[in-house]
Amino acid sequence: MPDELLERLQRFHTDAFPQHRSHFRLLVDDGQHPLTLFIGCSDSRLVPYLLTGAGPGELFLVRNVGAFVPPHDQSRGFHGTAAAIEFAVLSLQVRRIVVCGHSHCGAIRALYGDVPAEAKNLARWLELGREAALPVAEPGADVLRRTEQRAVVLQLERLMDYPMVRERVEAGALALHGWHYVIEDGEVHVFDVRRGGFVPAAQADNAGTGPYVQHEQPGARDGESTRL
Ligand SMILES: [Zn+2]
């Protein structure tokens, strides 16, 4: 029985990698300098590189169930997402943080139902979206959509509790972006605090800054505007 995954690895090495060899060489020699921290749901239908057109070295990527942001202030526990936020902001000095939820999100739906009793970590993790849930027992499509979007905004607010994030956002050095990706339409809706809601990318005038950013663009260096 052929090992399909192994075949894919071999194909990458022989067919795809040679086309990118020099680019990866540069990223090794110069190190990575991504401008964007992308916090996305783990859902397999959300493909950040496809959505943004990003290439290697452009996105510092964190994915978890629901695209949730854990609290910064915690005395116990191991939180990969919290560590990634600190690293991206303090060491990589990213200029943007995107929180990207999506339609038909299982994590959001789970806020209205039960999770298996043995999924203790999952049950606890879902608490990070609990405040976004609306007071209905049987959520329809509209309620789920609104909850998905409310959850994105909730995570943006929690990001502002990270001192290094707040400091940089207030200084205009970091922008927060809330996105909701509608899988069936192939369109991201961006959170626009001035309009008070999510706006389809086709009708948006920027990539959707979060609720606390006053400036239009993070301070652009030469050539930066075309990069993520
Ligand atoms: Zn999801």
Side-chain angles (χ1 to χ4, degrees):
M1 185 172 154
D3 184 335
E4 190 198 339
L5 196 51
L6 180 61
E7 286 174 5
R8 290 189 189 202
L9 295 178
Q10 293 168 341
R11 210 176 307 138
F12 168 73
H13 183 66
T14 57
D15 299 348
F17 180 71
Q19 300 166 38
H20 303 284
R21 184 186 300 275
S22 59
H23 190 191
F24 277 112
R25 186 71 254 167
L26 202 63
L27 288 169
V28 169
D29 292 344
D30 290 353
Q32 64 163 337
H33 303 284
L35 297 174
T36 302
L37 164 61
F38 187 104
I39 301 172
C41 184
S42 298
D43 193 291
S44 60
R45 299 163 295 184
L46 173 62
V47 188
Y49 287 96
L50 207 54
L51 280 188
T52 62
E58 291 193 282
L59 297 179
F60 191 73
L61 197 53
V62 180
R63 304 186 68 165
N64 62 49
V65 173
F68 291 161
V69 172
H72 176 260
D73 185 19
Q74 45 197 321
S75 54
R76 301 185 63 186
F78 300 94
H79 285 288
T81 299
I85 291 165
E86 292 179 350
F87 180 72
V89 173
L90 294 172
S91 298
L92 297 175
Q93 299 180 25
V94 295
R95 312 299 292 269
R96 307 176 186 90
I97 302 178
V98 175
V99 174
C100 188
H102 64 97
S103 61
H104 310 286
C105 182
I108 298 302
R109 176 173 285 281
L111 293 175
Y112 294 96
D114 296 325
V115 297
E118 59 192 315
K120 291 187 170 55
N121 289 288
L122 178 59
R124 183 146 184 265
W125 182 253
L126 290 174
E127 289 303 314
L128 298 175
R130 187 65 62 197
E131 272 182 66
L134 295 163
V136 294
E138 291 292 331
D142 181 56
V143 166
L144 289 171
R145 180 70 49 95
R146 284 169 55 206
T147 308
E148 288 158 0
Q149 296 183 340
R150 284 162 54 89
V152 168
V153 176
L154 181 63
Q155 311 314 313
L156 292 179
E157 290 173 351
R158 207 173 283 129
L159 267 174
M160 285 296 280
D161 290 336
Y162 284 64
M164 71 289 298
V165 171
R166 174 175 286 277
E167 186 183 301
R168 283 161 179 76
V169 167
E170 290 177 347
L174 179 66
L176 304 187
H177 297 218
W179 292 359
H180 179 257
Y181 174 52
V182 181
I183 297 170
E184 58 272 40
D185 295 341
E187 185 165 38
V188 168
H189 293 225
V190 297
F191 180 62
D192 183 337
V193 68
R194 286 168 302 185
R195 297 204 215 177
F198 283 76
V199 181
Q203 296 160 30
D205 48 22
N206 60 57
T209 45
Y212 303 97
V213 179
Q214 303 300 318
H215 57 279
E216 294 296 319
Q217 289 286 334
R221 294 190 296 259
D222 287 347
E224 192 175 278
S225 59
T226 56
R227 296 179 55 202
L228 285 170

